[in-house]
Amino acid sequence: MTLDKISETPWLHELRPQGRDLIGRVGEVAEACAKRADEHDRAATFPGEDFDDLAAAGLNAATVPREHGGLGLGPLNGDTLTLWLMTKELAKADLSLGRCWEGHTNSLVLLHALASEQQQERWFDGIVRGGQKWVAWSGEPQARKPGEGTRFGTGITAVDGGWVLEGTKAFATSATGADWALLLVNTAGPGGARHADAPAEGLLLLACDLSDPTVTVDESWWDPIGMRATASHVVEFDQTFLPQENLVGEPGAYLHEGWQSAFTPHYAASFLGAAEGAFDYALEYLTRQNKTADPYVHHRAGSMAVNLQTSHLWLAHVAQFWDRGRRAEAQRAGNCARHLVEHLALETVEHCVRACGARSLVRPSPVERILRDLTFYARHDNDDHVLATIGRATLGETHDSSFFKP
């Protein structure tokens, strides 16, 4: 879907002029990113050139506040929809790139929310001036995949001036491309944020310079069916020292303040980007193959169009809650959007394949990669648990809006 087409839709008319300009600029960068997507997918390599292009275009500091030289987007800056539509454009070019971009921009939201003024001055400067890339890593799953002999996890020990970290994290997005990582580690032992049952106060958020020689990447583990270019490898910490000045926020703040729920609808924006990529392919292919007179194609095209419109409207709805400071409503609506857009996006890709046929799944068609990536990325959260959480909230029962635990 070109910018000319989507500019006619209500959600873009509601954006500020800066937002419309930014989406156009991101779209231009995304065109080059799309041409590299297949190469990165086949080799499972981090899309570093894409981030270089984003930095060169002045887009890498999207969620850094304006007073620190950034673009001032996101849920803390009163302009959330622009950020999510930028993410959608990148995910349309390459869903793996969209995920890496999410991790970067979401990390900067956490720095804005929780880091001290001194920390912000230190780290935001490296992002704005140096193009540094950030990520946030929590993954320490305790369930093993077939063939694994050990579980992932970290242990942290307090020492003079800071902490020493030992162990491993899995699903470490952008492991071979990021410069800094925000590590969610638990003083009670393995589990990180999502998989630990310890009290919230035991969860620390620590910034780690990934150039530290005690931090290494094991690239042998990451061999998935999709999202290969996220380079979400296993990262090993061998007595890594993390100084006191790298502690971000108060212990437990990430859980107490429910920051994960700010990122849940951002995933939906990436889902939508993948769906829109399939839709664009279908429109071009069906027109070129002169299949537009088929009434069944009419049904497929109409369903795809409605799905995309619905998804956009849901994202705009959630973004308004964040921008108006209505956080509780934003959390509830964000989970609804996350659930719904997953299904609409997967359905849209299915409509594309049904309408275009098996050739749409033969490389170099991007739909083959979109299908693999979206199917895999939608597992980021268990949708059964997401929907059950929505149900518990509806019934007024106790629920976990961030990690969807019973």
Side-chain angles (χ1 to χ4, degrees):
M1 185 182 295
T2 66
L3 184 62
D4 289 340
K5 291 179 181 178
I6 63 174
S7 65
E8 299 172 0
T9 53
W11 55 84
L12 274 181
H13 282 305
E14 294 176 2
L15 295 181
R16 302 166 187 167
Q18 180 209 25
R20 294 170 63 86
D21 174 67
L22 287 173
I23 293 167
R25 286 162 57 190
V26 167
E28 293 174 0
V29 173
E31 290 181 10
C33 298
K35 296 176 182 177
R36 295 187 285 253
D38 181 69
E39 175 186 350
H40 287 300
D41 171 68
R42 290 174 186 254
T45 52
F46 175 78
E49 307 97 317
D50 299 348
F51 273 87
D52 291 342
D53 287 353
L54 288 165
L59 300 168
N60 65 302
T63 48
V64 172
R66 291 184 182 180
E67 58 267 28
H68 287 283
L71 297 178
L73 305 178
L76 292 180
N77 293 306
D79 195 354
T80 307
L81 185 59
T82 299
L83 172 68
W84 291 349
L85 292 179
M86 291 170 70
T87 298
K88 184 203 71 172
E89 288 297 308
L90 295 175
K92 180 168 66 173
D94 180 356
L95 185 53
S96 286
L97 169 62
R99 173 68 192 112
C100 294
W101 163 263
E102 278 177 34
H104 171 70
T105 58
N106 291 344
S107 299
L108 309 189
V109 171
L110 289 175
L111 291 179
H112 183 189
L114 301 173
S116 68
E117 184 64 27
Q118 184 178 15
Q119 288 174 324
Q120 290 184 23
E121 290 179 2
R122 169 189 170 194
W123 289 320
F124 285 156
D125 184 70
I127 297 158
V128 173
R129 299 180 186 275
Q132 291 181 339
K133 299 174 285 293
W134 281 68
V135 287
W137 294 337
S138 177
E140 299 182 20
Q142 299 301 286
R144 305 171 188 175
K145 73 176 184 181
E148 280 182 343
T150 59
R151 295 175 178 174
F152 300 108
T154 57
I156 192 166
T157 304
V159 297
D160 288 343
W163 296 267
V164 170
L165 184 66
E166 179 76 19
T168 57
K169 283 189 175 291
F171 294 104
T173 296
S174 305
T176 53
D179 301 293
W180 282 80
L182 284 172
L183 305 178
L184 291 108
V185 294
N186 211 300
T187 58
R194 184 182 294 271
H195 302 288
D197 295 321
E201 289 74 17
L203 185 68
L204 306 181
L205 190 61
L206 292 158
C208 178
D209 182 350
L210 297 178
S211 66
D212 187 322
T214 67
V215 181
T216 57
V217 177
D218 175 5
E219 299 184 34
S220 65
W221 181 79
W222 184 246
D223 190 19
I225 187 174
M227 300 299 283
R228 295 172 56 78
T230 61
S232 300
H233 303 298
V234 170
V235 177
E236 301 176 348
F237 303 90
D238 182 12
Q239 297 293 304
T240 302
F241 177 68
L242 299 167
Q244 176 71 39
E245 58 264 28
N246 284 17
L247 176 66
V248 178
E250 294 295 323
Y254 186 84
L255 296 178
H256 283 307
E257 299 178 21
W259 280 106
Q260 183 67 24
S261 63
F263 311 136
T264 298
H266 203 171
Y267 307 148
S270 288
F271 298 163
L272 175 55
E276 197 167 278
F279 180 64
D280 281 1
Y281 174 91
L283 291 187
E284 191 279 331
Y285 179 86
L286 295 169
T287 301
R288 175 165 44 85
Q289 295 295 326
N290 196 28
K291 292 188 174 184
T292 56
D294 186 330
Y296 296 106
V297 166
H298 297 166
H299 279 231
R300 301 289 181 181
S303 295
M304 288 189 284
V306 171
N307 288 352
L308 295 182
Q309 289 276 350
T310 302
S311 298
H312 278 101
L313 291 169
W314 262 100
L315 288 179
H317 174 62
V318 179
Q320 285 184 344
F321 284 136
W322 280 108
D323 292 347
R324 295 171 182 174
R326 295 162 63 176
R327 188 165 182 149
E329 292 163 291
Q331 290 176 326
R332 290 193 293 271
N335 288 340
C336 293
R338 160 65 183 78
H339 163 73
L340 182 62
V341 176
E342 173 186 325
H343 290 271
L344 294 178
L346 288 167
E347 183 181 278
T348 297
V349 176
E350 173 69 9
H351 285 312
C352 169
V353 174
R354 292 283 185 176
C356 299
R359 280 173 289 183
S360 64
L361 296 178
V362 178
R363 287 172 168 172
S365 165
V367 178
E368 182 269 344
R369 171 173 43 82
I370 290 170
L371 177 60
R372 287 187 290 105
D373 284 352
L374 182 59
T375 301
F376 188 85
Y377 190 29
R379 306 283 79 76
H380 187 277
D381 286 306
N382 184 324
D383 184 61
D384 290 338
H385 292 168
V386 176
L387 186 56
T389 298
I390 295 169
R392 284 192 289 272
T394 300
L395 294 169
E397 296 184 2
T398 301
H399 58 281
D400 177 358
S401 293
S402 293
F403 297 118
F404 315 114
K405 295 180 180 180

